Amino acid sequence: LIRQHKVKAVFAEPQYSHKLAEVLAREAGVPLYVLDPVATGSLDADTYIKVMEQNHRTIEKALGR
């Protein structure tokens, strides 16, 4: 399905094992990126904004924008 739909990347979350995502990405020939849903750690506004800005940069890089 990844190849059929021309998916550009596989995404994982830092709080979970990346093993399955690594296998999927490798077998599909696409890169793996990590996005942080801010499910753990500090919930203050500054931290949230910084993490979301990093997620935005990661998505731009992954999708080539």
Side-chain angles (χ1 to χ4, degrees):
L1 285 174
I2 291 173
R3 288 188 201 112
Q4 178 184 351
H5 292 283
K6 299 179 180 159
V7 172
K8 293 184 177 186
V10 171
F11 296 94
E13 296 182 7
Q15 69 272 32
Y16 300 114
S17 171
H18 297 175
K19 289 180 183 180
L20 177 58
E22 289 168 353
V23 170
L24 285 171
R26 183 175 56 249
E27 290 187 7
V30 298
L32 171 65
Y33 294 92
V34 177
L35 296 176
D36 189 346
V38 196
T40 59
S42 176
L43 296 177
D44 66 81
D46 288 337
T47 299
Y48 180 83
I49 290 169
K50 287 177 186 175
V51 172
M52 288 302 117
E53 287 172 343
Q54 179 58 48
N55 285 340
H56 183 256
R57 287 188 295 274
T58 300
I59 291 168
E60 283 184 323
K61 181 179 178 183
L63 301 181
R65 306 208 182 215

